[in-house]
Amino acid sequence: MELIQNTPDLSAYLAADDVIDHHHPVVRGVAARLAKEAVDSYAYARLAFEFVRDTIPHSQDSGDPRVTWRASDVLEQGTGICYAKAHALAALLRAEDIPTALCYQKFDVVHGLVAVRFNGAWHRQDPRGNKPGVDAQFSLDGERLAFTPEPESNEMDYPVLYAEPHSAVLSALKAAPDRLYLWKTLPTAL
């Protein structure tokens, strides 16, 4: 699948905003700790991915009712669904000048992940969090995502790489008072 930037300006994939708030002290603090352990940007990207995947539980898996959407809140509160975890990873990567896009897959509901740009190409990564039957890994040599869409079941990969969260995703997150409500209002398509 050919990934398509929704804006040709690569600097958009480094920008901070209200959601991917990589200027926030919490994000900067985590990024600085991870950067101390990394020998280069590839190592940093892997560490950031593993940090979000492994230390921020997916709120559905953990039973946490809180809904987070801003990257700094995800890192501070230590919880989030796939979209929120993707926002946190994007912020950590952008904090270290690694172009990062938000991208999506369609299953029963829309699933969120990121793409990082290395060596002139985009590479999708899924920080959702592993569990039995899910083994997402950081990889620049072929995708190791949490889920693979089955086209015969109307599942698909969306090819668009967004510089900002999709409005349908962000609206659902912001409107949800808790995860149970959110689960009833997740977008089913983009």
Side-chain angles (χ1 to χ4, degrees):
M1 175 182 66
E2 181 181 349
L3 299 173
I4 305 162
Q5 291 178 208
N6 77 323
T7 177
D9 182 4
L10 196 57
S11 68
Y13 298 95
L14 292 168
D17 59 25
D18 287 344
V19 180
I20 303 172
D21 57 344
H22 63 74
H23 56 279
H24 191 281
V26 170
V27 177
R28 300 305 281 178
V30 173
R33 284 194 309 275
L34 294 171
K36 285 181 187 176
E37 300 175 36
V39 296
D40 58 23
S41 60
Y42 298 103
Y44 175 83
R46 179 183 304 279
L47 286 170
F49 169 84
E50 291 172 351
F51 177 84
V52 172
R53 183 196 64 193
D54 299 342
T55 67
I56 309 291
H58 189 287
S59 57
Q60 175 71 13
D61 295 347
S62 67
D64 195 319
R66 296 175 292 169
V67 175
T68 54
W69 53 270
R70 183 177 288 119
S72 58
D73 291 340
V74 174
L75 295 173
E76 193 168 54
Q77 295 180 39
T79 191
I81 67 165
C82 60
Y83 312 131
K85 291 181 67 154
H87 300 165
L89 179 56
L92 289 172
L93 294 170
R94 289 181 184 187
E96 290 295 313
D97 295 320
I98 299 170
T100 307
L102 299 166
C103 46
Y104 303 94
Q105 297 175 306
K106 180 193 179 304
F107 297 99
D108 290 337
V109 296
V110 174
H111 175 62
L113 46 151
V114 304
V116 296
R117 189 163 178 89
F118 280 110
N119 299 326
W122 289 101
H123 306 272
R124 294 189 311 162
Q125 312 295 327
D126 191 344
R128 183 233 178 266
N130 290 338
K131 64 180 187 174
V134 175
D135 184 28
Q137 300 295 324
F138 183 85
S139 176
L140 301 179
D141 300 318
E143 294 184 336
R144 304 270 316 271
L145 305 177
F147 308 110
T148 302
E150 297 178 5
E152 62 276 4
S153 298
N154 260 351
E155 298 175 348
M156 66 179 285
D157 287 307
Y158 289 108
V160 178
L161 301 174
Y162 296 91
E164 299 172 347
H166 192 282
S167 60
V169 166
L170 195 54
S171 294
L173 289 169
K174 285 183 170 183
D178 59 37
R179 186 182 40 79
L180 293 176
Y181 180 91
L182 176 63
W183 236 242
K184 297 174 190 170
T185 61
L186 289 171
T188 57
L190 297 181

